[in-house]
Each structure stands twice: as C-alpha cells, then as structure tokens.
Amino acid sequence: MLTIRRDLVDAMVAHARRDHPDEACGVLAGPAGSGRPERCIEMTNAERSPNFYRFDSMEDIRLERELDSRGEERVVIYHSHTATEAYPSRTDVNIAGYPEAHYVLISTRDPDAHELRSYRIIDGEVTEEPVEVVESYMFSHTGADDVPDAP
Ligand SMILES: [Zn+2]
C-alpha cells in the first residue's frame, strides 16, 4: 500500500501533463525507512522520448548525494506513459533497481483524466499495490503498532 499526500499526486500529474507527449520522470523523497513521501523532485528524462525514460545520470548522482546528506531515500520513483496504460513496460522492469521503492506510473493518454497506479518491482516481478491519497499524513490510518503504549 502506498499512502501519499494529495499535493504530491498533483505535482506528479502536473509534471506528466507538462512534458506530454514525452515521458516525465522523477522521485518523491522521504525520511529513510519511513515509507512516507514528503517532497517531489522532478528529474530530466535523458531519453526525451514518448516511449522510454531514463534519469539523467549526472542528476541521478547529485540526487543520491543530496538524499544521503538529508537522511532521505527514494520512497517513490515515478514516470508517465503518454500513449499506453499505467503499467510497467519490460524496459521499466529491467531498470527498476530499488526494491524498497514504490514505482508509480501515470498515464496521460486521456487528456481529461489521468490514470495513476503503484507497483513494487522486485527481481523482475511486478506487484500492483493499492494507493491511498490523503490530505495530510497526520490524519491517515496508522497501524496498532504505531500507537504508543498507555503509561
Ligand atoms: Zn514506462
């Protein structure tokens, strides 16, 4: 399950619409180990292609350093599909190197309604997961383990 703030969904969709008909790509970073995306970092699609995405390698190195220094990680790795459904392509699966990350795909093939879906991609295996969009993480569901014991 991916729990994600609405403003981050809006940021990804706006980026995807802006770069259409090329694929847009980027990262939602959050505190390491939290599973909680906090900020959107738009990346350059080095392919500038309607069919593929690949992070610009220099940008990717800079991002990695920045995340390390802030104690963050790639909680979400997103990209858009501009003519097909929001499902990972064979190439997407081959380049998916972050088993801890949520892979979000946004389809912009319909100009009026976007499609957004999230996946885990581990060892070449794609598993779709539910997406819960919340206004704020403060009010989102927390498991029993997250509730502190009464004194
Ligand atoms: Zn793709």
Side-chain angles (χ1 to χ4, degrees), residues 51 68 75 94 144:
N51 301 312
D68 264 0
V75 180
N94 287 341

Side-chain angles (χ1 to χ4, degrees), residues 23 53 79 81 89 92 105:
E23 292 193 7
Y53 86 100
H79 76 284
H81 281 179
S89 68
D92 295 338
L105 277 91

Side-chain angles (χ1 to χ4, degrees), residues 86-138:
Y87 191 86
S89 68
R90 187 180 294 257
T91 308
D92 295 338
V93 173
N94 287 341
I95 66 169
Y98 293 85
E100 303 296 312
H102 303 268
Y103 283 86
V104 166
L105 277 91
I106 301 143
S107 175
T108 55
R109 64 178 167 176
D110 182 336
D112 298 319
H114 68 268
E115 180 193 11
L116 183 147
R117 293 161 72 181
S118 183
Y119 306 87
R120 294 285 188 171
I121 305 177
I122 300 168
D123 294 333
E125 194 179 323
V126 178
T127 309
E128 184 162 12
E129 61 182 357
V131 178
E132 181 192 30
V133 180
V134 297
E135 299 303 323
S136 154
Y137 296 131
M138 261 170 50

